[in-house]
Amino acid sequence: MTHNDVTEELTFRRATLPDVSALTQLESRCFDSDRISSRSFRRFIAEKRSDLVLVELGGSVVGYFLLIYRRGTSLARLYSLAVDPDKRKRGIAELLMSEAEKAAAARSCVLLRLEVRFDNLSAIRLYQKLNYHEFAVKHDFYEDHSDAICMQKQIIQFDSTSVNRQVPYIAQTTPFTCGPACLLMVFNYFKPNQFDPAALEIDIWREATTIFMTSGHGGCGPRGLALAAHQRGFDVDIYLNKEGPLFTDTVRSEVKKMILQRVHESYRQKVEQCGIAVHRTELGISSIKALLESGALLVVLISTWQFDKSKAPHWVVVCAVDEHFVYINDPDTEDIPWLSPSERQYIPVEHSVFLRAFSYGKSRLKAAIAIRKDKT
């Protein structure tokens, strides 16, 4: 029987309780340790936060995949995948992975993660072929104390055919220039190749810095970034849900707080003199979508807590919105060094996750800058 003959006769379906015996037998044929018990198979079949899908050939179960989901995230985990030893090297594992990605995407999961034994070279080669990237190692992970390689893949991508021109990706080259890098992405979207990041990233940061960090260099505030865009000929609107000096939650020094007050007042006057509109409102998904449809791009302040638990203020570019996701260009490459620039464009973030991230500090500051090509 050829490879194609096998794949044409395969059928996939969700596992049911009568399949537990066959799954348990398959488990014992595939693994010497770390086996899923009959009891666990029953639990995974019954609960709603997992997908247990088996593949049959000639009416017999020859493989399965098990995905589990974590509530409140856009992450799926491939908990287990098995193929009958007598049916291997026929492409069944690759087809199971394809079905697993479809199942995870149907639940609006952006990333699919998995663990694989460090010495399972055939599985590692398959995952690499399917564009999974290593991001960590878990030591002493398996029952025999072997290490696991952690891999992941972004399984939902923005439909680039739906836009005439994509916002270019520009990475920040310092830990404190996310705001300038975002502006440079927007500038070069509206006026391609007219703004050199190497020449302007630090200059814009010097113009727009308003924040005393607890340590290290300061960052940029919304008025400073808006002024930098305005001074380069762009039409700008600022959206804030609160007034007064920003980013003071972590500043303990009274002297620094006084300086922040003076900087705030200086920027406030400059914004007023330039005629830049400041809207005291909170942007929701529908209003963000309306601004994008009007021709604007948004530079938005988020808290990175939703992504890396660090609670840092961080600027990203909002490029598009669809029914399920907000698509962002994130200038920070530290957490995703393996991705190419094209893969960092239009990163999908589920609406609920984005809305939780779209605020900073105890005061729940929300700040965004809407930028259009020309001053009106």
Side-chain angles (χ1 to χ4, degrees):
M1 183 176 289
T2 67
H3 187 150
N4 288 337
D5 290 336
V6 171
T7 57
E8 288 175 2
E9 294 182 12
L10 293 174
T11 57
F12 295 86
R13 63 176 176 83
R14 293 186 67 88
T16 60
L17 289 176
D19 297 313
V20 170
S21 177
L23 287 167
T24 305
Q25 292 177 35
L26 178 64
E27 193 79 351
S28 65
R29 286 173 53 79
C30 293
F31 305 111
D32 295 325
S33 62
D34 297 274
R35 293 171 178 164
I36 299 175
S37 66
S38 297
R39 181 179 179 181
S40 293
F41 274 126
R42 291 190 184 94
R43 176 169 56 85
F44 286 125
I45 289 170
E47 68 180 18
K48 296 181 179 179
R49 285 188 291 163
S50 63
D51 284 325
L52 179 54
V53 175
L54 52 79
V55 57
E56 292 179 314
L57 178 62
S60 298
V61 177
V62 296
Y64 76 85
F65 69 77
L66 172 58
L67 295 177
I68 58 176
Y69 305 95
R70 184 177 178 183
R71 185 180 289 114
T73 73
S74 299
L75 176 68
R77 179 187 174 200
L78 182 70
Y79 188 81
S80 184
L81 181 144
V83 176
D84 189 315
D86 294 337
K87 302 297 188 296
R88 291 175 183 171
K89 298 184 179 180
R90 303 187 186 186
I92 297 175
E94 186 170 344
L95 288 171
L96 280 167
M97 288 300 300
S98 176
E99 292 296 317
E101 291 176 9
K102 292 176 185 176
R107 290 189 182 239
S108 298
C109 288
V110 174
L111 291 174
L112 178 55
R113 288 183 174 176
L114 57 89
E115 293 90 15
V116 57
R117 284 179 62 101
F118 78 98
D119 55 357
N120 191 347
L121 301 182
S122 60
I124 293 171
R125 283 194 292 268
L126 171 63
Y127 299 138
Q128 290 173 336
K129 173 186 175 182
L130 298 175
N131 296 315
Y132 285 80
H133 304 278
E134 179 180 343
F135 69 93
V137 174
K138 292 182 179 179
H139 297 289
D140 197 18
F141 182 74
Y142 295 102
E143 287 180 0
D144 64 358
H145 306 292
S146 295
D147 295 343
I149 296 174
C150 305
M151 307 182 80
Q152 70 178 11
K153 177 182 179 179
Q154 182 177 317
I155 56 174
I156 292 181
Q157 305 282 344
F158 180 71
D159 179 12
S160 60
T161 61
S162 65
V163 294
N164 294 326
R165 182 173 64 194
Q166 290 194 54
V167 180
Y169 182 80
I170 295 173
Q172 62 190 82
T173 62
T174 77
F176 48 87
T177 49
C178 54
C182 287
L183 285 190
L184 287 163
M185 288 189 249
V186 174
F187 294 171
N188 284 295
Y189 170 79
F190 288 121
K191 300 178 181 180
N193 304 314
Q194 293 188 30
F195 298 88
D196 180 12
L200 292 174
E201 181 183 13
I202 297 300
D203 283 353
I204 293 174
W205 170 74
R206 291 177 64 223
E207 293 175 35
T209 298
T210 61
I211 308 169
F212 269 117
M213 303 300 286
T214 52
S215 62
H217 299 281
C220 299
R223 284 184 172 85
L225 291 172
L227 284 165
H230 177 85
Q231 290 163 6
R232 288 165 177 81
F234 293 92
D235 181 40
V236 188
D237 285 88
I238 301 171
Y239 293 84
L240 290 170
N241 67 340
K242 62 171 290 186
E243 198 42 80
L246 309 177
F247 310 108
T248 57
D249 290 351
T250 58
V251 179
R252 297 180 180 178
S253 166
E254 290 301 320
V255 173
K256 289 184 177 181
K257 286 184 178 180
M258 289 176 60
I259 294 174
L260 281 174
Q261 177 65 52
R262 292 171 62 185
V263 171
H264 164 74
E265 184 58 28
S266 174
Y267 277 118
R268 189 193 64 76
Q269 292 179 6
K270 290 177 181 177
V271 164
E272 188 174 317
Q273 290 167 2
C274 291
I276 298 173
V278 179
H279 306 273
R280 287 290 301 278
T281 185
E282 294 192 7
L283 295 177
I285 297 297
S286 59
S287 50
I288 288 173
K289 187 175 183 180
L291 285 168
L292 293 170
E293 291 174 346
S294 74
L297 285 176
L298 274 71
V299 177
V300 170
L301 181 73
I302 65 170
S303 169
T304 59
W305 176 257
Q306 292 295 324
F307 307 102
D308 61 15
K309 308 304 182 186
S310 70
K311 292 186 178 180
H314 183 56
W315 293 100
V316 298
V317 181
V318 174
C319 305
V321 175
D322 65 16
E323 183 180 355
H324 300 290
F325 298 99
V326 176
Y327 295 87
I328 66 171
N329 280 13
D330 184 347
D332 184 8
T333 64
E334 185 175 341
D335 292 332
I336 47 173
W338 58 84
L339 295 182
S340 68
S342 63
E343 290 174 304
R344 295 193 188 110
Q345 284 181 299
Y346 290 66
I347 298 171
V349 180
E350 196 172 9
H351 287 180
S352 61
V353 176
F354 177 82
L355 289 174
R356 290 196 298 271
F358 181 27
S359 64
Y360 177 73
K362 295 177 182 178
S363 62
R364 309 296 295 171
L365 166 67
K366 293 191 176 184
I369 307 150
I371 303 173
R372 295 178 177 81
K373 183 174 181 180
D374 297 304
K375 294 177 183 177
T376 55

